[in-house]
Amino acid sequence: MPATTFEFQVEARQLLQLMIHSIYSNKDVFLRELVSNASDALDKLRLEKLRDDALDADVSDLHIGIDVDKEARTLTVRDNGIGMSYDEVGQLIGTIANSGTAQFLQELREAKDEAGAEGLIGRFGVGFYSGFMVADEVTLVTRRAGEDRGTRWSSRGEGTYTLEAVDDAPQGTSITLHLKPADPENQLHDYTDPWKIREIVKRYSDFITWPVRMVPEGSAAGDGSDEAPAPETLNSTKALWARPRDEVSDDEYHELYKHIGHDWQDPLETIRLQAEGTFEYQALLFLPAHAPHDLFTRDSKRGVQLYVKRVFIMDDCEALLPPYLRFVKGVVDAADLSLNVSREILQQDRHIEMMRRRLTKKVLSTVKDMKAKDQDRYATFWREFGTVLKEGLVTDPETRDAILAVASFASTHDDTEPTTLKQYVERMKDGQDDIYYLTGESRQAIENSPHMEAFRSRGIEVLLLTDAVDEVWADAVGEYEGKRLRSVAKGQIDLGSEDEDSSDGGREQQAEEYAGLLGWMQEQLDEDIKEVRLSSRLTVSPACIVSDAHDLTPALENMYRAMGQEVPRAKRILELNPDHHLVKGLNRTYREREDRTELAETAELLHGLAVLAEGGQPKEPARFVKLMTGRLERTL
């Protein structure tokens, strides 16, 4: 049969030119596409042979071969797979798309920016035609397994292609690219360089099931040697996530983790997941043993590696895990995604969202099992990643219960062992309705806070939260098992009095006795405070500063400002301990003296001391020091 020339359809020709010039800035992916197609052809032949044992096809050494000819500047990718018939070549290769081409081009024309265009391009499979990104001419020779004659297809990508039948084609398919001149400025490398071929195969196709072989440089046929050169296998073919667990050693898993995680330590935990059904995928995830240095850096890389049928697609696929699991490393291999899927498309794909939820659930359940079965490894995990995991309590309400189930916190119950919220609730005193907590920079600072005095004296447990995110998640979560989460530094706290019949009388009598002082101090400190009131949370200190129940704490205010969000500074409340000798003296002096100039300075000092006690700073430190120095001088 003589060679016949065909024309591409108008729309297909336009799309071909778009693909040649605009698909990828990284043109290396052409080899990924061709190797992936070859792998599919080998898979199909193996399946066909299983179905039809009478099929005349050699399956003894299925592989993919890559040949380079530097002088002719050609690169050939061949396989001994299923191959194609003459009619199949016309249908599968002769037309770029069987349907949807017009709609695709219309949407591309309507794309308002370059990013939008790239996103649309990602929806269209490049496949075989990616070769035109690096070649002036592409020739395909193929013979379908079980047939006698083969087919040659050839095109320069300029609107036409030729088809002819051939008699001497081997089983399978070979694609020869007549390469363009190298142009490093436009990311067009010299693809006759064996080192470059090794790099691309290792990066994108290392876990392809079939061996990818190349004859070593300098040993090509015709070099005068008597023996045929032994080809070099470029890929490992070891997709550990696709092999049964009992066939893979821990050392092999650890080596893979070190490779993809760029870590020198073994992982803390290995997680395997295989999903079957309408959307199939496999995952091999790792929990590191230590936090990376850039865990809280805004521009840090996160996410896992994404493969499609063992073909590498992208590093750091953020769409597969939420940000609060950004420390998880690993591989996800999907069976039904396009090789040309873009990051923009991943963010909208419903299958990706299903995978994300399943992977998140699997990671959290693994941590839960670790907590139940191996406290030492759990303690390591929580020490390294507890802070970032708690971000999910704010950003992911769907998994809030699962995160709380694995979270642990320091508390006043034990000096060294953390507690869970479940354990806290089980220990709550009769009549206690709230889970109390206090935030601060360190455990020591919190334990020494005046806000803790009444809780300590009554033996009421308080959670000691020292991470910056604790201010946010405690407010966002609000309650646990019907028990309200309540800061001991906010709002009114009424724990009941240990001695209602004290010498100073009951609460009503105290409120009446101190009413004048409280009103006068509020006038004196009006610029800085919202209210002055008597405290039921103090037993030792004379005063403390608290926030109103619904106001932001200073720490939260500072956090929002650091993120560029301006928030109004809320006035806070000054609470006085009516049983403290200093406060009693203030009240006595207020009643006895009409000249209250010095008393006003004392009130200012008392407020400054309360601010210092919670780790803050007086509004005017120099004035505070001057007043304090004057007082100290007068006592000598």
Side-chain angles (χ1 to χ4, degrees):
M1 184 183 297
T4 306
T5 300
F6 299 90
E7 285 192 4
F8 291 114
Q9 295 177 350
V10 174
E11 291 171 340
R13 186 162 60 246
Q14 294 174 353
L15 192 52
L16 174 59
Q17 290 301 310
L18 175 69
M19 290 159 61
I20 292 172
H21 300 294
S22 306
I23 286 290
Y24 292 112
S25 59
N26 176 16
K27 295 178 173 57
D28 291 355
V29 297
F30 85 92
L31 189 55
R32 178 194 77 180
E33 299 284 345
L34 298 184
V35 170
S36 176
N37 288 348
S39 178
D40 286 343
L42 295 170
D43 288 337
K44 290 176 182 176
L45 177 60
R46 181 175 60 177
L47 182 61
E48 192 72 20
K49 185 67 174 176
L50 289 173
R51 290 174 176 171
D52 181 8
D53 190 55
L55 178 67
D56 183 16
D58 182 8
V59 294
S60 61
D61 182 27
L62 299 180
H63 67 278
I64 301 164
I66 299 178
D67 296 330
V68 172
D69 188 329
K70 280 184 172 289
E71 292 186 5
R73 284 198 58 75
T74 62
L75 172 69
T76 301
V77 178
R78 60 169 51 92
D79 66 75
N80 54 350
I82 190 67
M84 290 177 284
S85 66
Y86 185 94
D87 291 339
E88 286 174 330
V89 171
Q91 295 170 2
L92 301 176
I93 303 297
T95 55
I96 296 179
N98 294 325
S99 63
T101 306
Q103 178 184 357
F104 174 83
L105 287 171
Q106 180 64 30
E107 292 184 16
L108 187 62
R109 295 187 190 101
E110 294 175 355
K112 296 182 180 179
D113 53 32
E114 185 176 348
E118 291 181 0
L120 288 170
I121 290 169
R123 284 165 42 192
F124 190 86
V126 178
F128 165 77
Y129 277 88
S130 62
F132 283 101
M133 295 191 295
V134 300
D136 292 319
E137 182 178 352
V138 177
T139 301
L140 175 146
V141 177
T142 184
R143 178 171 67 84
R144 182 171 181 83
E147 296 188 357
D148 296 328
R149 304 186 73 190
T151 304
R152 178 183 288 111
W153 180 100
S154 182
S155 176
R156 298 185 62 85
E158 295 175 347
T160 63
Y161 60 92
T162 62
L163 269 179
E164 63 178 312
V166 294
D167 294 324
D168 56 350
Q171 171 189 304
T173 302
S174 69
I175 299 169
T176 300
L177 308 179
H178 301 266
L179 296 168
K180 299 176 182 178
D183 185 3
E185 290 186 2
N186 291 318
Q187 301 297 312
L188 185 60
H189 302 288
D190 183 0
Y191 297 109
T192 65
D193 185 345
W195 175 87
K196 185 64 180 176
I197 300 302
R198 290 188 187 94
E199 178 196 46
I200 297 173
V201 172
K202 191 70 176 175
R203 175 170 175 78
Y204 291 106
S205 307
D206 194 41
F207 300 117
I208 288 290
T209 307
W210 311 104
V212 181
R213 300 171 182 165
M214 181 174 68
V215 175
E217 188 176 9
S219 60
D223 63 357
S225 60
D226 295 331
E227 297 182 2
E232 172 189 359
T233 300
L234 305 183
N235 62 323
S236 70
T237 72
K238 292 183 178 180
L240 300 185
W241 56 87
R243 293 164 58 186
R245 176 64 181 90
D246 56 5
E247 293 182 9
V248 185
S249 68
D250 289 340
D251 288 341
E252 288 180 293
Y253 281 138
H254 295 171
E255 281 302 313
L256 176 62
Y257 164 72
K258 291 173 184 177
H259 172 67
I260 64 179
H262 306 291
D263 195 359
W264 55 274
Q265 290 188 24
D266 290 340
L268 188 66
E269 184 65 58
T270 301
I271 304 171
R272 288 176 54 93
L273 177 64
Q274 181 163 341
E276 298 177 346
T278 56
F279 187 73
E280 297 184 357
Y281 60 93
Q282 297 167 312
L284 183 59
L285 306 179
F286 301 96
L287 302 182
H290 63 94
H293 68 279
D294 60 351
L295 183 61
F296 294 100
T297 303
R298 178 176 295 181
D299 298 326
S300 64
K301 296 289 185 181
R302 67 177 180 86
V304 297
Q305 292 185 348
L306 175 63
Y307 284 74
V308 173
K309 297 179 182 177
R310 302 193 190 181
V311 178
F312 176 75
I313 301 299
M314 69 178 70
D315 265 322
D316 311 314
C317 183
E318 299 179 356
L320 289 171
L321 286 171
Y324 60 88
L325 294 180
R326 57 184 176 271
F327 52 86
V328 176
K329 303 296 181 183
V331 172
V332 175
D333 189 353
D336 302 310
L337 288 177
S338 165
L339 287 179
N340 306 296
V341 67
S342 67
R343 292 184 185 274
E344 292 76 16
I345 294 170
L346 287 175
Q347 293 172 356
Q348 303 170 3
D349 191 283
R350 67 181 183 87
H351 290 129
I352 293 294
E353 181 59 31
M354 291 168 54
M355 291 168 64
R356 176 186 172 110
R357 287 199 297 267
R358 179 80 182 275
L359 293 172
T360 300
K361 182 179 179 180
K362 182 65 174 179
V363 171
L364 293 177
S365 66
T366 300
V367 175
K368 186 176 181 180
D369 290 342
M370 188 192 305
K371 185 177 185 303
K373 300 174 182 178
D374 194 331
Q375 275 294 319
D376 289 341
R377 287 167 64 240
Y378 166 77
T380 299
F381 170 83
W382 191 255
R383 181 181 66 248
E384 298 292 327
F385 304 108
T387 300
V388 66
L389 191 64
K390 285 186 287 188
E391 293 176 8
L393 295 172
V394 182
T395 60
D396 192 358
E398 288 186 13
T399 61
R400 185 172 287 170
D401 290 342
I403 296 175
L404 287 176
V406 301
S408 59
F409 314 95
S411 90
T412 55
H413 176 71
D414 193 289
D415 292 339
T416 57
E417 292 296 322
T419 186
T420 64
L421 292 182
K422 180 178 177 63
Q423 292 169 333
Y424 181 103
V425 170
E426 291 173 351
R427 290 191 298 264
M428 287 174 60
K429 292 181 175 296
D430 292 339
Q432 182 181 339
D433 297 322
D434 300 327
I435 299 172
Y436 294 108
Y437 70 90
L438 183 59
T439 59
E441 293 184 357
S442 67
R443 178 175 185 132
Q444 183 179 6
I446 297 175
E447 288 182 328
N448 291 330
S449 169
H451 302 105
M452 296 287 294
E453 293 174 0
F455 294 87
R456 187 183 300 111
S457 67
R458 289 163 174 77
I460 298 176
E461 184 176 356
V462 178
L463 301 179
L464 312 177
L465 309 181
T466 56
D467 293 326
V469 70
D470 292 330
E471 288 273 3
V472 186
W473 77 256
D475 189 57
V477 171
E479 66 173 37
Y480 174 78
E481 293 187 355
K483 305 294 184 181
R484 181 175 55 162
L485 287 161
R486 188 170 181 191
S487 171
V488 303
K490 291 183 69 173
Q492 289 273 17
I493 296 291
D494 187 3
L495 302 178
S497 174
E498 291 182 301
D499 185 6
E500 292 291 346
D501 298 322
S502 63
S503 57
D504 290 321
R507 294 183 186 178
E508 292 184 4
Q509 183 178 344
Q510 283 183 336
E512 183 178 343
E513 182 180 351
Y514 283 90
L517 175 66
L518 299 180
W520 175 80
M521 286 186 66
Q522 188 161 338
E523 292 177 4
Q524 298 299 310
L525 303 172
D526 186 61
E527 290 185 8
D528 302 312
I529 63 172
K530 177 187 294 187
E531 180 185 356
V532 181
R533 67 189 184 201
L534 297 182
S535 177
S536 60
R537 71 185 91 209
L538 297 174
T539 61
V540 178
S541 301
C544 68
I545 293 289
V546 299
S547 298
D548 212 348
H550 303 293
D551 285 347
L552 295 178
T553 63
L556 271 181
E557 289 181 4
N558 294 334
M559 190 181 302
Y560 283 124
R561 291 192 180 96
M563 294 187 295
Q565 301 181 34
E566 192 55 42
V567 293
R569 191 173 297 277
K571 288 184 178 182
R572 305 183 68 205
I573 298 167
L574 176 65
E575 288 193 351
L576 304 182
N577 179 1
D579 297 323
H580 195 279
H581 290 298
L582 176 57
V583 177
K584 289 180 179 180
L586 270 174
N587 192 40
R588 186 170 55 252
T589 302
Y590 167 78
R591 290 184 169 189
E592 294 174 353
R593 298 182 187 175
E594 294 189 6
D595 182 4
R596 297 175 179 140
T597 304
E598 191 171 325
L599 192 63
E601 293 180 354
T602 305
E604 188 176 343
L605 282 171
L606 187 61
H607 173 253
L609 290 170
V611 172
L612 286 171
E614 69 158 9
Q617 179 176 296
K619 185 173 67 174
E620 298 181 48
R623 173 173 170 78
F624 178 81
V625 170
K626 182 179 179 180
L627 291 175
M628 181 61 71
T629 302
R631 281 303 165 91
L632 292 174
E633 285 178 352
R634 289 197 291 272
T635 62
L636 297 176

